[in-house]
Amino acid sequence: MRPKKHWYDYLWIWSILYFSLGFFNILFAWLGMIDFLLPLAIAVFGRNKWYCNHLCGRGQLFSLLGGTLKISLNRPTPRLFYSKWFRYGFLIFFMAMFMNLVYQTWLVAGGAESLRETIQLFWSFQVPWGWTYTAGATIPWIAQFSFGFYGLMLTSLILGILFMLLFRPRSWCAFCPMGSMTQAICQLENRKARKEKELIQNTTDKEDVI
């Protein structure tokens, strides 16, 4: 008997839709902030990785392509990518790139730089993407963030697909920056909860002695 499907089992469609919309209109790149902020909110308030396990459309897409459609070599993911130093090192690098795009957006907002209608792939290659934006459609800095953020998201998608093809379908998840960030948050929140519980227990024990 097949397990019952839930609405969130079809979020791989959202991933395809997001990149398709950004291909025609770069301003849709802002929708990617949902995938950036929602996992953090769930990790902080829920103290778990429910987003990664159930809501990640990209992970579902990799599972569909590599697992269901079997276009993955399905080889074991090298242990290097599971190591803590690699995962958190990649997270730091990823966040540095994110802060750089925020800085570039700030320069455009301040008039120090002009809008660049390109996206940056693999943090190195400037790819023309001007057909996705009509001059004057919005404030320049809003468009600049769109180009920068879409490039960051597309780079991570391409990396995920490459790892899906070479290794197991969801090998990207081993060092996904959002996964590493939410895991760190969950560990901190759960540690904080344990300390609070111990403090309450110690206080209760002292009251019982008195």
Side-chain angles (χ1 to χ4, degrees):
M1 184 177 179
R2 293 184 178 181
K4 181 181 178 181
K5 287 284 187 177
H6 300 87
W7 63 268
Y8 49 75
D9 292 321
Y10 300 95
L11 286 175
W12 56 271
I13 298 174
W14 160 250
S15 190
I16 294 176
L17 183 63
Y18 171 76
F19 288 103
S20 298
L21 290 173
F23 185 82
F24 294 103
N25 189 326
I26 196 62
L27 297 180
F28 281 109
W30 278 86
L31 292 175
M33 290 301 294
I34 297 173
D35 295 329
F36 194 82
L37 299 175
L38 186 58
L40 300 180
I42 292 175
V44 171
F45 298 105
R47 297 175 180 174
N48 59 60
K49 297 184 65 175
W50 203 80
Y51 179 90
C52 293
N53 296 327
H54 300 284
L55 301 180
C56 181
R58 191 175 309 185
Q60 291 180 14
L61 181 61
F62 296 152
S63 293
L64 176 66
L65 295 174
T68 306
L69 300 182
K70 300 186 183 304
I71 64 172
S72 171
L73 294 177
N74 205 33
R75 295 186 297 189
T77 308
R79 296 186 65 179
L80 163 69
F81 301 111
Y82 286 103
S83 63
K84 183 179 292 187
W85 70 268
F86 183 88
R87 289 188 294 109
Y88 288 106
F90 187 73
L91 171 61
I92 293 172
F93 174 75
F94 182 88
M95 292 306 299
M97 294 301 100
F98 179 78
M99 294 308 299
N100 180 62
L101 83 84
V102 171
Y103 176 66
Q104 293 299 323
T105 300
W106 179 75
L107 290 178
V108 171
E113 294 281 353
S114 58
L115 173 64
R116 299 177 185 178
E117 296 182 11
T118 62
I119 64 170
Q120 191 172 44
L121 291 181
F122 296 101
W123 308 285
S124 302
F125 307 105
Q126 296 289 338
V127 181
W129 215 258
W131 71 85
T132 63
Y133 178 70
T134 302
T138 188
I139 303 171
W141 73 263
I142 293 179
Q144 185 61 61
F145 183 87
S146 298
F147 282 108
F149 194 65
Y150 189 80
L152 197 64
M153 294 286 278
L154 188 58
T155 293
S156 62
L157 175 70
I158 295 173
L159 282 175
I161 290 176
L162 290 175
F163 273 80
M164 178 272 296
L165 293 172
L166 295 174
F167 306 110
R168 288 173 179 160
R170 294 190 65 158
S171 292
W172 163 257
C173 300
F175 60 96
C176 168
M178 293 309 303
S180 298
M181 196 182 308
T182 53
Q183 181 176 350
I185 291 172
C186 289
Q187 289 174 343
L188 289 173
E189 290 295 326
N190 288 327
R191 190 179 304 165
K192 179 181 177 182
R194 285 196 299 270
K195 288 184 178 179
E196 290 176 350
K197 185 177 180 179
E198 290 174 358
L199 179 61
I200 293 173
Q201 185 62 46
N202 291 335
T203 302
T204 303
D205 292 342
K206 290 180 179 178
E207 291 176 349
D208 291 340
V209 171
I210 295 174

